[in-house]
Amino acid sequence: MSRSRRPSSRAGRALSVPSIAGLVFCACLPGCGDSASGPAGSRTTAAADGPFVDAGLLLAPLTCGGENARTILEVNGGGLALFDADGDGDLEILLVDPGPYPSAGVASGGTNTLYRNDGGMHFVDVGEASGVGVPGFCNGVAVGDVDADGRRDVYLTRLGPNALLRNTGDLRFEELPEAGGAAGDGWSTSAVFVDVDLDGDLDLYVVDYLAFDADHPPLHGVDGRDCRWKGMPVMCGPQGLPAQPDHYYRNDDGRLVDATAAAGFDAPPGYGLGCLDGDFDADGWPDVYVSNDSTPNFLFLNTGHGKVVESGLAAGAALSSRGREQAGMGIAAGDLEGDGDEDLLVTNFSMESNALYVNDGGRFDDRADPMGVGGPSRRLLGWGAAFVDFDLDGALDLVNANGHVYPQADEPGTDTSYAQPDTLWHNDGGGRFSPRAWDGDAPAVSRALSSGDLDDDGVTDLVILRRSGRPMVWRGLAPERRSLTVALDGGPGNPDGCGAVVAFTDAEGTRTRRVRSSAGYQAAGDPRALFAWRGTGTLDVRWPDGTHEQHAVDAPGTLALGAAR
């Protein structure tokens, strides 16, 4: 099917190729960016053997129902966002805390926490005055400028109506009535802001999971339910419970309008958990990928002007290499082959292995086993994931969070465990991954994950949430290596330039990054593009409207481009 191209507001504008030198840069040497932390906790001294060390930030512990997670509501954990909430150029941390199980007489939620970034690894809890502590059993978060005032707003998914928090400045947020039109009334997990119709403002896709009545939860042995795993009674779901349909909201001058059916997003309900935007067929129009738990994954390919077609099965991105449905959780996307298109990593249930869909012009092939991520992931149950170049060698590595859903996994004979190591996968440069030992591989029950350069030292850091308990912040180290960070400003309505594609070409080839805030599973991350510095080169930026900029880059550091440069 041919796809029409949208008009470009900048078409035909010739741009020079200036030389960029003397960029602001904090070299990636041991100790760069160190500082004593504030109320968020103490800062440990970074060891030189990396690749990540515990940053020592004592962020607030999260709660997701009861300790033993006896219902499926208590399994998925909370969410987090790394985003520039106050517009000063660095990343704040927002923790989305579900809270206790919402039973009669027990109020859940109200305990989301926002931490202001004061530089380095110094974060300060800005308290209740921020307005992020909305009530309800919250799970996930998406970040985008809904009302085109240049500030990043926050959308929170939860059991029952979702919430949209308008950023009013000075690290304060106000909840909009009916979530600006996108409240819904189910159980939502992940969400993504993406300009599907390329009209200059950000639309919203929201993933829903299943129908759940907290007052009458599905339990083994109740109402005739027999919920077993490996012969043992366990919590019930998702199979046997009604799946819920996802929703797409078009942004009409700041008001979110349900356009699910009109745009073609009305696929049969799946047990949705993760979502990510991209341009997976490289036609210039934004697409949406959705990971579903025990049902085929969705790939909504954009046919132009805000219309999509669900193409997961046809494109080869819905099932495993053996043609089987899997329990999709988290998603990561990145150009692993250097061919300009993005490949997809989906984390799955234990004994299924992760899926690694290699993109060949919009057609996908699951090559998890030949690329090394199949076998070692089979005993693990994966959640959040991200492609990051942790050693700054120019090849995208992989990190993913793990942890089982059944405490019974610790029983003999299961071939797995409840607490599991979070996995760091090293890319050998030829597209072959192998697990690497790191400080984060102590067993835990992890869920959402987000990556970003928290201390602005040119190296990616990680935040990983546990199902319950204190989050982990891992500071990235890359001794004696440097990087180029590209920060885009798309102006009001898209202050991070999401949807732009940034390519850096040096003597060793071209590497491509898509600018996005979505982090795949109940999270938002750093939208800036980071490249390992291997020498001078040319930076090409393709903006969402299709126009290009080119810059000769002579030094590593941070390069800011766009409306506010």
Side-chain angles (χ1 to χ4, degrees):
M1 178 185 300
S2 63
R3 307 219 193 298
S4 59
R5 297 286 296 185
R6 72 276 185 220
S8 170
S9 61
R10 294 192 247 190
R13 188 173 75 181
L15 295 171
S16 61
V17 185
S19 176
I20 306 296
L23 306 180
V24 177
F25 181 73
C26 181
C28 305
L29 300 175
C32 174
D34 283 354
S35 69
S37 76
S42 62
R43 178 76 172 92
T44 59
T45 300
D49 54 355
F52 293 95
V53 294
D54 183 353
L57 295 181
L58 302 182
L59 303 181
L62 274 61
T63 301
C64 188
E67 180 179 355
N68 293 324
R70 69 189 190 105
T71 72
I72 196 168
L73 180 68
E74 303 162 84
V75 165
N76 296 345
L80 76 149
L82 309 181
F83 73 114
D84 186 4
D86 53 7
D88 66 353
D90 55 23
L91 300 174
E92 275 68 49
I93 301 175
L94 171 63
L95 298 181
V96 179
D97 185 11
Y101 187 88
S103 57
V106 177
S108 62
T111 50
N112 301 333
T113 310
L114 181 65
Y115 293 92
R116 184 184 70 230
N117 189 338
D118 282 352
M121 279 288 181
H122 187 120
F123 288 86
V124 177
D125 183 349
V126 297
E128 296 181 2
S130 68
V132 301
V134 299
F137 199 86
C138 298
N139 282 122
V141 57
V143 173
D145 180 9
V146 175
D147 52 4
D149 65 353
R151 302 188 187 102
R152 298 157 183 86
D153 307 306
V154 169
Y155 183 81
L156 298 174
T157 64
R158 56 187 177 183
L159 178 67
N162 298 322
L164 178 60
L165 308 184
R166 178 176 177 268
N167 189 335
T168 62
D170 298 323
L171 292 173
R172 294 177 181 269
F173 294 80
E174 62 178 13
E175 185 174 359
L176 297 182
E178 300 178 353
D185 194 24
W187 176 14
S188 301
T189 51
S190 298
V192 56
F193 282 105
V194 52
D195 187 4
V196 171
D197 50 10
L198 288 177
D199 63 352
D201 54 27
L202 295 176
D203 312 300
L204 178 67
Y205 186 88
V206 181
V207 175
D208 276 26
Y209 194 38
L210 52 81
F212 188 89
D213 183 350
D215 294 327
H216 301 90
L219 298 172
H220 171 76
V222 177
D223 298 327
R225 296 187 184 276
D226 186 22
C227 305
R228 295 179 184 273
W229 172 74
K230 295 185 180 291
M232 294 179 287
V234 293
M235 63 88 180
C236 297
Q239 293 93 339
L241 302 178
Q244 290 185 314
D246 301 344
H247 295 276
Y248 164 70
Y249 299 94
R250 185 182 63 243
N251 191 334
D252 287 348
D253 297 323
R255 178 70 180 175
L256 296 171
V257 178
D258 193 327
T260 307
F265 283 103
D266 51 342
Y271 299 115
L273 284 178
C275 63
L276 199 72
D277 64 295
D279 180 12
F280 300 109
D281 54 1
D283 66 352
W285 290 93
D287 310 313
V288 175
Y289 186 77
V290 180
S291 58
N292 290 317
D293 183 1
S294 306
T295 54
N297 300 327
F298 297 148
L299 174 59
F300 294 102
L301 292 179
N302 198 326
T303 61
H305 305 287
K307 305 289 186 180
V308 302
V309 173
E310 203 290 291
S311 306
L313 285 171
L319 306 173
S320 74
S321 60
R322 296 174 176 84
R324 298 174 182 171
E325 298 173 351
Q326 299 193 107
M329 311 288 184
I331 311 169
D335 181 10
L336 300 180
E337 302 172 294
D339 58 358
D341 54 25
E342 286 197 304
D343 311 297
L344 287 164
L345 182 284
V346 180
T347 59
N348 292 305
F349 203 81
S350 60
M351 306 308 163
E352 291 182 342
S353 87
N354 294 340
L356 184 50
Y357 298 105
V358 175
N359 189 346
D360 183 11
R363 295 283 303 177
F364 292 85
D365 181 21
D366 181 4
R367 301 181 195 168
D369 283 330
M371 295 182 72
V373 301
S377 68
R378 278 193 169 83
R379 290 191 173 188
L380 304 174
L381 198 161
W383 296 87
F387 285 117
V388 297
D389 184 1
F390 66 73
D391 52 2
L392 291 179
D393 65 352
L396 286 176
D397 309 298
L398 172 66
V399 60
N400 74 268
N402 300 301
H404 218 284
V405 299
Y406 302 132
Q408 295 87 344
D410 284 335
E411 295 296 324
T414 67
D415 293 324
T416 184
S417 60
Y418 187 49
Q420 301 178 353
D422 298 328
T423 314
L424 192 64
W425 307 82
H426 179 254
N427 186 341
D428 66 2
R432 176 79 182 181
F433 291 85
S434 59
R436 170 170 175 169
W438 70 301
D439 289 350
D441 58 15
V445 184
S446 299
R447 293 298 187 256
L449 176 154
S450 189
S451 62
D453 187 359
L454 293 171
D455 51 1
D456 289 318
D457 66 349
V459 187
T460 300
D461 310 302
L462 303 173
V463 182
I464 301 178
L465 300 191
R466 311 308 193 194
R467 190 197 71 83
S468 61
R470 201 175 293 279
M472 287 299 301
V473 181
W474 297 101
R475 183 182 175 219
L477 300 176
E480 299 180 2
R481 293 186 185 268
R482 297 178 292 174
S483 62
L484 171 68
T485 298
V486 182
L488 300 186
D489 186 341
N494 190 5
D496 293 312
C498 289
V501 177
V502 183
F504 186 62
T505 302
D506 56 23
E508 298 186 49
T510 299
R511 288 158 290 151
T512 304
R513 305 284 188 267
R514 180 179 178 84
V515 177
R516 59 165 62 90
S517 65
S518 56
Y521 176 74
Q522 295 188 174
D526 191 346
R528 296 172 295 185
L530 189 147
F531 299 92
W533 181 257
R534 304 182 301 189
T536 60
T538 301
L539 185 78
D540 182 277
V541 180
R542 190 192 76 198
W543 293 91
D545 66 6
T547 58
H548 288 255
E549 293 184 19
Q550 280 193 341
H551 301 272
V553 183
D554 298 331
T558 298
L559 173 61
L561 298 170
R565 68 181 184 273

